[in-house]
Amino acid sequence: VGTPRVYRRDPNPGEFEDPQVLVLDVGLRHEPTLNNFDHHQMEPKVETAECALSLYAKARGLEDSLRYQKWYRTSIILDACGPFKTAGDLGLPRFPMELLSPIESVLIDAFQGCGSEVNEAVLEILAGLGKRILAKAKEYVSIIEDLKSKVKIMDIAGVQALVLEQSGTKGLQDLRDDLFPQAGISILHDDRGDGWILYRFNDDRRVDFSLLGEDPRVLFAHKGGFIAKTLHRLPLNEVVELAAKGVIA
């Protein structure tokens, strides 16, 4: 098989018809069976935006792995619709150019500087980054699936709560946003101590955990009201009763 050869140029007619040749982001043709993935012939609407990356990801069954990656949808809209419409989709008055990665800019410059054939050094860097991005995306999906199997859904004084008898918040916000958008509270084991963490999702104004500051079972209650920690690993029914004291509506 060997190292693939990558060219930065327009394909010739024969390459369009050869499924062994992958044509990306050029050519005005979207033909997955022939490995042609361009989007420039499509109407650039934010609601239905597609780019070469998303078309290729769909054809290769990678969309499920990428769906929790915050950069994925934004990258599609930016490529297909431009910075102005991307800013609108993000609810911003303008696109935040200040947040663009200088590393990405240098890599693009290196790719463009290769001429018609991309050299092996640049290919190795880009391929390594791609593999790492996909590996981390797939790992994150596994984390979300694990949380789904372990989370308990409870009603605490009229507020939906996600309860996990484990530590680590990675993936919890996405689980909430994806499946339980009404949840205002999470309760899980403290990963820095022996107690529980009580957390308020999305600054839900029904919840103010600063009210727990005087309770002797509480190690810390942030004055902003979004988080509190208990001294010890209280029984679950007791920590739920404690959390209820932070519900103000």
Side-chain angles (χ1 to χ4, degrees), residues 157-168:
V159 178
Q160 189 178 67
L162 308 185
V163 180
L164 282 162
E165 296 192 59
Q166 65 179 52
S167 62

Side-chain angles (χ1 to χ4, degrees), residues 39-65:
H39 66 100
H40 294 99
Q41 72 280 10
M42 300 177 178
E43 189 174 353
K45 292 184 177 180
V46 169
E47 298 79 10
T48 57
E50 296 283 9
C51 67
L53 170 63
S54 62
L55 295 174
Y56 183 77
K58 286 180 178 179
R60 295 292 179 267
L62 298 173
E63 276 229 314
D64 279 348
S65 297

Side-chain angles (χ1 to χ4, degrees), residues 22-190:
L22 174 62
V23 180
L24 282 171
D25 210 30
V26 67
L28 303 180
R29 292 169 66 165
H30 176 225
E31 301 159 320
T33 58
L34 292 173
N35 264 336
N36 299 323
F37 299 95
D38 196 14
H39 66 100
H40 294 99
Q41 72 280 10
M42 300 177 178
E43 189 174 353
K45 292 184 177 180
V46 169
E47 298 79 10
T48 57
E50 296 283 9
C51 67
L53 170 63
S54 62
L55 295 174
Y56 183 77
K58 286 180 178 179
R60 295 292 179 267
L62 298 173
E63 276 229 314
D64 279 348
S65 297
L66 293 170
R67 65 194 176 102
Y68 289 115
Q69 302 303 301
K70 303 301 184 186
W71 56 264
Y72 181 60
R73 172 177 161 80
T74 300
S75 295
I76 294 169
I77 298 173
L78 182 61
D79 191 354
C81 304
F84 182 79
K85 289 185 178 179
T86 304
D89 185 69
L90 293 171
L92 301 174
R94 65 176 181 85
F95 187 78
M97 296 292 185
E98 298 88 343
L99 298 180
L100 292 179
S101 168
I103 297 174
E104 180 181 349
S105 176
V106 169
L107 288 172
I108 291 173
D109 286 346
F111 178 72
Q112 292 175 336
C114 289
S116 62
E117 183 169 0
V118 182
N119 66 55
E120 288 190 18
V122 173
L123 266 184
E124 185 176 352
I125 293 170
L126 295 177
L129 284 172
K131 289 176 182 177
R132 191 170 185 84
I133 287 169
L134 281 176
K136 288 181 70 66
K138 290 177 180 178
E139 177 189 17
Y140 194 71
V141 171
S142 296
I143 290 171
I144 297 288
E145 292 302 317
D146 184 61
L147 290 178
K148 286 180 184 178
S149 69
K150 295 178 179 177
V151 69
K152 297 177 181 178
I153 314 304
M154 303 185 72
D155 181 284
I156 298 180
V159 178
Q160 189 178 67
L162 308 185
V163 180
L164 282 162
E165 296 192 59
Q166 65 179 52
S167 62
T169 60
K170 190 173 184 179
L172 191 58
Q173 181 71 50
D174 282 318
L175 176 68
R176 180 263 183 196
D177 293 346
D178 197 23
L179 295 180
F180 309 103
Q182 300 306 312
I185 295 172
S186 71
I187 300 174
L188 64 160
H189 293 172
D190 190 350

